[in-house]
């Protein structure tokens, strides 16, 4: 899977000037999407805690795990964008 992604990144990198713009746009979209996702996770968690304060620990744990998954996917997308430039 990673080899396929690296090959795709290399194919994009062959388009030299356009690849830098595309990589910047791709990284920006990934970051904006992550920010919106984490914001929605936080919003939903706070609403859930407000409804059921006794479940705050479980909700907080789930929120942290979901946020970490979003951040992991975002980091992967940014790495792919950076590899496209190289």
């Amino acid at each position: 899977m990673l080899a396929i992604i690296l090959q795709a990144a290399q194919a994009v990198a062959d388009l030299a000037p356009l690849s830098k713009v595309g990589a910047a746009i791709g990284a920006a979209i990934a970051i904006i999407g992550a920010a919106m996702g984490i914001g929605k996770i936080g919003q939903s968690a706070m609403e859930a805690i407000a409804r059921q304060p006794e479940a705050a620990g479980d909700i907080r744990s789930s929120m942290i795990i979901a946020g970490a998954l979003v951040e992991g996917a975002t980091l992967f997308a940014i790495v792919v964008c950076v590899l496209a430039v190289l």
Side-chain angles (χ1 to χ4, degrees):
M1 177 78 172
L2 185 59
I4 294 171
I5 293 171
L6 291 175
Q7 287 175 351
Q10 184 60 39
V12 172
D14 291 340
L15 300 174
L18 293 178
S19 70
K20 292 181 181 180
V21 174
I25 291 171
I29 290 172
I31 292 170
I32 291 170
M36 291 174 62
I38 291 175
K40 182 64 177 167
I41 291 168
Q43 175 187 357
S44 298
M46 292 302 109
E47 289 175 1
I49 290 172
R51 288 187 194 138
Q52 292 183 332
E54 66 276 359
D58 293 335
I59 294 169
R60 190 176 304 117
S61 298
S62 297
M63 177 184 72
I64 290 171
I65 291 170
L69 291 173
V70 170
E71 285 294 325
T74 303
L75 180 62
F76 184 70
I78 292 171
V79 167
V80 170
C81 291
V82 168
L83 287 176
V85 175
L86 300 177

